[in-house]
Amino acid sequence: MKRKRLAVIPARSGSKGLKDKNIKLLQGIPLVGYTIKAALDSGIFDIVMVSTDSERYAEIAKKFGAEVPFLRSESTSGDRPTSWDVVKEVVEQYTEQGHKFDSITLLQPTSPLRSADDIIQAHKLFDDKDANSIISVCEAEHSPLWSNVIEPNLSMEHFAQTDDNVSCRQQLSTYYRLNGAIYIVNDKALHNIENLYLEKSYAYIMEQSHSIDIDSEFDFIIAEAILESKRLEVKKASDNI
């Protein structure tokens, strides 16, 4: 049986920075639940699966509608393997079951504000460009030209750049940063992942408000504030009908 589009949501249980981050409640919903819902609501995927090393995480993922046909192997359950190591293992497992995919999408659960429409539009770009990979980015909050290292003695002597081209904020080019929300690859790119950003790789630009990447308690606070603001906007619009 051929299944064309696969979404892989990696959610291991051993988060060191923030305990059980991937199932931590965000407005009453486990963090991973937001990504599962966005993936399912997009209607893009033949399979939405969560890759985890935890039976507890697996049960939570299944309640939100994701498939968890197997747990991670020991070799991909630690903190050293990359997300792409996890994705490759998942694809190998499905290949052994006779499934082949035209695209594989990595959706990290730490990007709960990524919308179903973001996923749809990123895949449209993938198809329109006949791309090997699509990588989501957002506009950088600050230009890197306004940043520098600080000397051990805290001297600011050489911190500021004096080039006339960077002295005026309005004259600076727009810079973008990776936001970690959406990665789409075909089979060729998956097996040549070290060159992901080279041949036929394109950026999908997302709004900053959709690009929160949760890694700390402070990031949770920001995400809570954005979600609450959206909830109040919806309520206000409903009250005005």
Side-chain angles (χ1 to χ4, degrees):
M1 178 180 179
K2 183 176 181 180
R3 293 186 172 184
K4 294 184 177 182
R5 295 189 190 269
L6 168 68
V8 180
I9 303 170
R12 75 181 185 93
S13 61
S15 174
K16 290 184 176 180
L18 199 59
K19 183 176 172 56
D20 282 327
K21 173 175 64 179
N22 289 320
I23 59 169
K24 183 177 172 64
L25 296 182
L26 178 62
Q27 289 208 335
I29 298 173
L31 192 63
V32 70
Y34 286 89
T35 293
I36 294 172
K37 184 178 187 304
L40 293 173
D41 286 352
S42 74
I44 286 288
F45 303 107
D46 297 281
I47 298 178
V48 174
M49 78 86 63
V50 168
S51 172
T52 184
D53 58 340
S54 165
E55 290 283 3
R56 179 187 175 200
Y57 280 34
E59 288 306 310
I60 291 172
K62 290 174 184 176
K63 286 180 181 178
F64 280 86
E67 296 186 18
V68 191
F70 44 80
L71 295 181
R72 290 190 194 181
S73 66
E74 185 176 344
S75 65
T76 58
S77 294
D79 55 4
R80 288 186 178 275
T82 68
S83 294
W84 292 113
D85 292 327
V86 172
V87 171
K88 287 180 180 179
E89 179 180 72
V90 168
V91 172
E92 288 170 2
Q93 292 269 16
Y94 276 116
T95 298
E96 290 176 3
Q97 297 175 14
H99 302 303
K100 182 173 175 59
F101 302 99
D102 295 332
S103 70
I104 303 97
T105 302
L106 170 61
L107 299 172
Q108 302 190 105
T110 47
S111 298
L113 305 186
R114 165 224 308 106
S115 68
D117 190 60
D118 284 322
I119 295 171
I120 292 169
Q121 295 305 318
H123 277 83
K124 183 177 185 301
L125 183 64
F126 180 79
D127 293 337
D128 290 347
K129 293 286 191 181
D130 190 26
N132 287 332
S133 63
I134 295 294
I135 300 157
S136 64
V137 302
C138 68
E139 186 174 335
E141 289 78 3
H142 305 285
S143 170
L145 298 178
W146 288 84
S147 305
N148 210 331
V149 297
I150 296 291
E151 299 295 332
N153 68 355
L154 306 182
S155 171
M156 293 287 286
E157 183 177 354
H158 301 293
F159 184 90
Q161 299 187 45
T162 57
D163 190 326
D164 289 340
N165 291 328
V166 300
S167 61
C168 179
R169 185 185 302 271
Q170 287 74 21
Q171 295 175 358
L172 295 176
S173 299
T174 300
Y175 281 79
Y176 296 86
R177 65 171 176 84
L178 301 174
N179 68 0
I182 302 172
Y183 294 87
I184 309 171
V185 297
N186 59 17
D187 188 66
K188 177 182 177 181
L190 180 61
H191 290 90
N192 192 26
I193 209 68
E194 63 275 7
N195 294 320
L196 183 62
Y197 299 93
L198 298 178
E199 182 185 0
K200 298 185 73 175
S201 176
Y202 301 94
Y204 171 66
I205 300 175
M206 287 174 54
E207 295 178 20
Q208 286 181 336
S209 63
H210 291 194
S211 299
I212 299 298
D213 184 11
I214 291 185
D215 193 47
S216 67
E217 192 68 46
F218 182 65
D219 296 329
F220 261 93
I221 293 171
I222 295 173
E224 286 269 13
I226 293 173
L227 287 171
E228 180 63 13
S229 176
K230 290 181 177 180
R231 185 189 70 79
L232 291 175
E233 285 180 7
V234 171
K235 182 178 185 301
K236 182 178 180 180
S238 177
D239 290 345
N240 290 334
I241 293 177

